[in-house]
Amino acid sequence: MRFLLLLFITVTTTGCFSRFVMTDKELAAYYKNRPLPRFAVIKNDSLQLYCATAGADTLPPLLVVHGAPGAWYGSRNLLEDSLLLLHYQVIIADRPGYNKTRFKKKRKAVSSIALQSQLLVQALQLNHSGNKRGIVMGSSYGGPIAAKMAIDYADRFNHVILLAPALDPDKEKFWWFHPFIKGGPIKWMLPRNLRNATTEKFAHTKELRLLAPQLQQLNVPITIVQGGKDDIVDPANFDFAKKILKDKPAYFIFLPDANHFIRWQQPRLVKQLLLQEPGASGY
């Protein structure tokens, strides 16, 4: 029974998130006729932060925060967009717990949003623009981390963009199999990226309750985009965001027919948001 349950969970979740998990062989095939991004590892006593970058490092930074599971290559289209690279140095880091980043020499999940913010901001060491303010953009579970970074490091950013962000602690979505993988042998038999995503998920409600009052400190312009057919993050998160950010420089875009994967389904909109002033998209 345990084997059948594990097999079902692995197959269904891997299929759901397959576009964000690529093997070395798949990456080699993808970049066979494309220029590779530049790679760098930022190291200190506790962190080895693996980053992919493109664009001149003297331009303002565009720091991208992926969801769970995920890796830098989930936003690889941004690293090869020639127009974006005229305006930004695109920096995408593997979050602690995923792909090639190590925290305290391990690839274990880091469920704290505040700690993720402190660790990921180190990626800005790759930017040499003289501290020009740029954009931080987060998707899904990366959304609240990006918001926290805009609060903690407001002097580094002039816009925060959240795509299908999970912000409402009361709307965390669980599936029927989650109680079976919360702990125990089945969880530890899952692939590492799914295991770490599960650890984050079960801490997410608590972490979002800590973040919610801090959102009142946000003074960087913020744009939130949500799809009406999102079956991973409840679209009700959009209403929560509008309520909690009602007195902030916030802009809201609701796409009734969009699903969770906005940066792939709506690339032209995402590009428009990155290139225009906050609130100028016309949506």
Side-chain angles (χ1 to χ4, degrees):
M1 177 64 182
R2 283 183 175 179
F3 173 77
L4 292 176
L5 179 63
L6 173 65
L7 179 63
F8 178 83
I9 292 169
T10 301
V11 170
T12 54
T13 53
T14 299
C16 182
F17 294 107
S18 60
R19 73 185 67 192
F20 299 121
V21 179
M22 298 180 71
T23 65
D24 289 342
K25 184 177 180 180
E26 289 170 332
L27 279 170
Y30 179 84
Y31 281 107
K32 183 177 181 179
N33 297 310
R34 294 180 173 91
L36 275 169
R38 299 185 301 275
F39 298 103
V41 180
I42 297 170
K43 296 182 179 181
N44 58 36
D45 290 343
S46 60
L47 180 66
Q48 297 179 48
L49 187 66
Y50 189 84
C51 304
T53 74
D57 62 7
T58 53
L59 293 171
L62 166 56
L63 182 58
V64 182
V65 185
H66 68 74
W72 66 266
Y73 47 72
S75 294
R76 59 192 179 277
N77 59 318
L78 301 177
L79 292 164
E80 53 197 53
D81 189 304
S82 58
L83 183 56
L84 283 180
L85 298 182
L86 291 176
H87 294 82
Y88 300 104
Q89 180 194 18
V90 179
I91 305 172
I92 312 176
D94 290 336
R95 288 204 290 112
Y98 297 99
N99 203 36
K100 296 186 179 181
T101 286
R102 305 287 188 274
F103 180 57
K104 296 184 178 179
K105 300 183 179 180
K106 296 181 180 180
R107 286 189 290 171
K108 295 179 67 174
V110 174
S111 57
S112 166
I113 290 174
L115 182 54
Q116 287 264 352
S117 170
Q118 294 171 22
L119 298 175
L120 289 171
V121 78
Q122 303 301 317
L124 293 181
Q125 293 179 30
L126 299 173
N127 184 258
H128 301 101
S129 64
N131 292 330
K132 289 179 182 176
R133 298 173 73 195
I135 294 176
V136 58
M137 181 171 72
S139 300
S140 192
Y141 274 35
I145 297 170
K148 177 63 172 168
M149 294 178 75
I151 294 167
D152 293 344
Y153 309 101
D155 61 325
R156 299 306 309 272
F157 303 109
N158 56 24
H159 192 188
V160 53
I161 299 174
L162 308 185
L163 307 177
L167 293 173
D168 188 344
D170 295 322
K171 295 297 180 181
E172 187 67 22
K173 190 170 183 177
F174 292 92
W175 285 269
W176 65 268
F177 56 77
H178 274 122
F180 297 96
I181 61 173
K182 187 173 184 179
I186 293 180
K187 177 182 176 182
W188 292 104
M189 292 172 68
L190 290 172
R192 186 189 305 274
N193 63 315
L194 294 179
R195 185 165 70 242
N196 288 347
T198 299
T199 298
E200 283 189 356
K201 185 168 186 63
F202 281 103
H204 209 229
T205 296
K206 176 184 176 181
E207 287 297 312
L208 290 180
R209 292 198 191 284
L210 294 173
L211 177 65
Q214 298 176 49
L215 291 173
Q216 295 300 313
Q217 303 170 28
L218 183 66
N219 291 310
V220 175
I222 181 171
T223 300
I224 295 179
V225 187
Q226 175 64 49
K229 295 183 178 179
D230 191 331
D231 59 357
I232 296 175
V233 168
D234 191 324
N237 277 268
F238 189 74
D239 298 321
F240 174 85
K242 291 178 73 174
K243 181 178 179 181
I244 203 164
L245 296 169
K246 64 181 180 180
D247 297 322
K248 296 297 175 181
Y251 307 92
F252 303 94
I253 300 173
F254 188 76
L255 305 172
D257 296 322
N259 62 27
H260 185 65
F261 304 108
I262 290 171
R263 70 178 183 268
W264 286 100
Q265 190 181 24
Q266 299 285 339
R268 295 176 70 178
L269 170 60
V270 173
K271 187 172 179 177
Q272 184 179 1
L273 294 175
L274 291 169
L275 293 174
Q276 295 184 354
E277 292 294 320
S281 67
Y283 282 80

